[in-house]
Amino acid sequence: MALTGVQIFKLLPKTNCKKCGFPTCLAFAMKLAQGSVELSACPDVSEEAKNTLGEASAPPIRAFALGTGDKAVKMGAETVMFRHDKKFVNPCALAVNIKDNLSEDEIAATAAEVAGSEIDRVGQKLRIDAVSIEYASGDSAKYEAAVKLVADKAPEAALILNCSDAAAAEAAAKAVAARRPLIYCATDDNAEAMANIAKTNNCPLAACADGPEALSALTEKIKGFGVEDIVLDSGAKTAKEMIINNTQIRRSAIKKGFKPLGYPIINFVLRDDPVYEASIAAIAIAKYASIVVLSSIEKWKNLALFTVRQNIYTDPQVPMQVAQKIYEIGEPAADAPFMITTNFSLTYFIVSGEIENSKVPSRLAVMDSEGLSVLTAWAAGKFTAAKIAQFVQESGIGDQISNKELILPGQVAILSGALEDKLDGWKITVGPREANAIPTFLKARVA
Ligand code: SF4
């Protein structure tokens, strides 16, 4: 069970030395109890306390990575049931399932699709993270070859060895051990053999049982064999089962501190109908899955699921922002159009996207408005004539361009007169109200 702040405080050095960044040991203990700081921030904690506190202050859901390298997917470490309580920490991995009895060309083509699935959405790189290779052939040599082929064609993707046959899983795990694949899966019958494969190759292991109760007994058994990094499959297949089981697992781990269910969850949502599959996947993403395995990765489906995932894992209390600066789009000449907007991410990406669409090289000044959109920032007094004038003057842009013309968002046309008074020597032009009119507006200027 998790310790309270006071219980933790009793184990700290109580010197109030402030090295942890907090004024007192008690303040640090309170933060540690909330899971918002790491015990390692206190350099003077004793070994004995470390052992006690290390376990107690660990996140209720074990944290580890799926895969290796820059694109390894961090999982677990969640501390809340609802994202309005505190941000969800690690976005779930999306994986595609490939059967090893497909032709080499088909396997290679799907793996290549995974490797090329990355898109940029509001400044974040989003992709299909993993490939599950299913042992459907019954031929371990064929399985190993398929696993190696996927590893080769999708060199940065995490791998899931979807194979309950211990001998076939062992050979495949050995072949791609450097990629630290997830071994899927251990059941009550094969737990020891699969745990040995996971332990020998230093891989995480999925535990599969019928429902949370059976699952908790199985994870204890697997842990007893020396495997720490475990992923849970409760056998849920329908949307209703996923919601019920995933919620029960999450609640047991977070509210009750029940360690046998304190692991990331995997859901297989495989369906013949891709629209139906996308719907079930969205439910799994929203309700606590750390890995969602799909049967296909059409681009439209990826975009829908990437968007759901990105929204679920965005901190609702912190507006998404981009850095305040003057962005060059294309290779603008000294007399290129010079526009201004606020630093709300969505505003920036929509406006810069429309400028790109216009193919008119331009400069876009992005002013810090604490992540608010243009109208909201204006209403909140963060995007006023005085503040815009100060930003433009301090940026020094006036010395770098030849035309000294600033294009204001049409929604704040009301600021143009005041801005002209404050920006001596500048011409203020009112641009379009809506971003989708920017290409026509810019093209008309250079026609
Ligand atoms: Fe207390 Fe450790 Fe923080 Fe110092 S660094 S104030 S001993 S918790």
Side-chain angles (χ1 to χ4, degrees), residues 3-4 42 49 77 119 122 126 176 195 207 274 282 322 351 358 399 441:
L3 297 182
T4 64
C42 171
I119 64 160
V122 285
L126 308 171
V176 292
V322 291
V351 171
S358 76
D399 300 331
F441 173 83

Side-chain angles (χ1 to χ4, degrees), residues 12-26 28-29 41-45:
L12 292 176
K14 300 189 205 68
T15 57
N16 297 335
C17 71
K18 302 185 178 61
K19 288 183 212 163
C20 57
F22 290 88
T24 62
C25 294
L26 183 59
F28 179 71
C42 171
D44 299 331
V45 72

Side-chain angles (χ1 to χ4, degrees), residues 103-158:
S103 71
E104 275 188 22
D105 284 351
E106 286 170 309
I107 294 172
T110 306
E113 260 185 86
V114 171
S117 64
E118 185 171 284
I119 64 160
D120 190 321
R121 186 173 184 275
V122 285
Q124 290 181 0
K125 306 278 187 204
L126 308 171
R127 66 187 77 84
I128 298 295
D129 310 278
V131 184
S132 154
I133 307 104
E134 182 180 340
Y135 183 53
S137 66
D139 176 342
S140 65
K142 194 173 174 64
Y143 186 64
E144 186 180 333
V147 169
K148 284 182 179 165
L149 181 58
V150 170
D152 183 45
K153 297 292 177 190
E156 295 182 300

Side-chain angles (χ1 to χ4, degrees), residues 245-397:
N245 288 0
N246 291 6
T247 305
Q248 190 179 335
I249 289 169
R250 177 85 152 220
R251 190 177 290 141
S252 300
I254 287 178
K255 297 285 184 197
K256 311 270 184 209
F258 185 57
K259 293 286 181 192
L261 291 177
Y263 299 100
I265 296 168
I266 186 169
N267 285 140
F268 281 74
V269 298
L270 314 184
R271 297 290 190 282
D272 291 336
D273 176 349
V275 176
Y276 186 31
E277 181 172 286
S279 311
I280 306 279
I283 289 167
I285 292 168
K287 280 292 168 195
Y288 313 135
S290 286
I291 308 172
V292 177
V293 186
L294 307 153
S295 64
S296 62
I297 48 170
E298 296 90 343
K299 284 202 166 92
W300 65 263
K301 188 159 68 172
N302 293 354
L303 183 58
L305 295 178
F306 290 166
T307 306
V308 170
R309 177 176 63 177
Q310 193 177 30
N311 280 289
I312 294 285
Y313 284 88
T314 299
D315 189 340
Q317 297 174 37
V318 179
M320 292 176 74
Q321 304 179 24
V322 291
Q324 167 170 289
K325 69 175 193 174
I326 295 171
Y327 293 80
E328 295 197 345
I329 299 168
E331 292 180 6
D335 61 351
F338 175 46
M339 309 178 82
I340 190 162
T341 191
T342 62
N343 76 332
F344 176 43
S345 287
L346 207 53
T347 301
Y348 166 74
F349 285 105
I350 290 171
V351 171
S352 61
E354 294 295 354
I355 296 174
E356 271 174 37
N357 288 344
S358 76
K359 307 230 177 331
V360 178
S362 305
R363 290 182 180 81
L364 176 63
V366 170
M367 200 180 116
D368 184 359
S369 61
E370 297 176 20
L372 300 179
S373 62
V374 169
L375 262 187
T376 316
W378 169 71
K382 297 181 193 306
F383 196 58
T384 61
K387 287 185 175 167
I388 294 171
Q390 185 185 1
F391 167 58
V392 169
Q393 278 158 345
E394 287 178 357
S395 73
I397 187 70

